């Protein structure tokens, strides 16, 4: 059984361990050096309670080991972008194709909607058919491509931009509610 819950600082080591292979051998991220648990705790805290970090566990939410995580961050620094988030998701190699990715992403999207964010942006290193399929299965649509913007493992990599409308853009927009108030939402 896969369970979902908000990530805690105690999950940072497991999150760092899941992320490290993607950094060291993959192209899904353009980081070169894998961050450690301390760096992950810092990233989690940087959201200041606004942006969700959600983990999937194998077994009960309290007792199971972390097998994947999804989170949202600020899309851009300028204040006018504060209604939009950028999303990311990573699943442990040993838990691939077991449904954790889709459960995590659905919960992340439901949570962001409940918070009142207007759009979610996913940036995908291309080619990546599995990630494209996952993003589109939860409501993202292709919005464009940045050509040859990342150089890793001896080659230039394109980044595709996928966008998901979370809520109708209001005028004026409503300020998003903190994740710390909303929690993990599953519709």
């Amino acid at each position: 059984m896969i369970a979902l819950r908000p990530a805690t600082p105690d999950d940072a080591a497991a999150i760092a361990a899941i992320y490290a292979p993607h950094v060291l051998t993959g192209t899904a991220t353009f980081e070169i050096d894998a961050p450690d648990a301390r760096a992950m705790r810092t990233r989690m805290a940087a959201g200041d309670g606004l942006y969700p970090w959600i983990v999937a566990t194998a077994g009960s939410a309290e007792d199971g080991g972390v097998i994947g995580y999804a989170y949202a961050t600020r899309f851009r620094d300028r204040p006018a972008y504060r209604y939009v988030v950028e999303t990311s998701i990573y699943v442990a190699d040993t838990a691939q194709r077991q449904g954790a990715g889709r459960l995590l992403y659905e919960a992340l999207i439901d949570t962001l909607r409940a918070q009142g964010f207007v759009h979610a942006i996913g940036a995908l290193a291309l080619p990546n058919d599995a990630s494209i399929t996952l993003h589109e299965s939860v409501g993202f649509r292709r919005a464009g491509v940045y050509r040859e913007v990342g150089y890793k493992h001896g080659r230039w990599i394109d980044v595709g931009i996928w966008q998901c409308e979370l809520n109708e853009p209001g005028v004026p927009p409503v300020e998003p509610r903190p994740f710390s108030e909303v929690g993990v939402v599953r519709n």
Side-chain angles (χ1 to χ4, degrees), residues 114-125:
Q115 288 181 262
F117 287 103
V118 176
H119 290 281
I121 306 295
L124 288 62

Side-chain angles (χ1 to χ4, degrees), residues 62-167:
E62 297 79 30
D63 299 328
V66 174
I67 60 171
Y69 67 101
Y71 66 97
T73 60
R74 176 182 302 183
F75 171 61
R76 302 255 195 236
D77 285 335
R78 307 280 193 280
Y81 290 118
R82 70 185 176 277
Y83 310 101
V84 179
V85 294
E86 186 169 339
T87 59
S88 291
I89 180 170
Y90 292 93
V91 176
D93 289 341
T94 57
Q96 293 289 326
R97 310 237 187 282
Q98 296 178 20
R102 183 164 179 134
L103 285 173
L104 274 165
Y105 230 154
E106 287 173 347
L108 181 63
I109 296 301
D110 290 346
T111 300
L112 293 167
R113 281 193 173 111
Q115 288 181 262
F117 287 103
V118 176
H119 290 281
I121 306 295
L124 288 62
L126 299 176
N128 193 336
D129 291 341
S131 188
I132 290 169
T133 299
L134 175 61
H135 279 78
E136 291 181 351
S137 76
V138 298
F140 283 81
R141 298 295 166 249
R142 187 181 183 127
V145 176
Y146 294 124
R147 303 267 178 226
E148 299 175 336
V149 294
Y151 186 80
K152 187 173 180 183
H153 300 310
R155 66 183 177 100
W156 284 100
I157 302 164
D158 294 348
V159 174
I161 304 300
W162 267 254
Q163 183 170 342
C164 178
E165 183 175 311
L166 301 169
N167 289 295

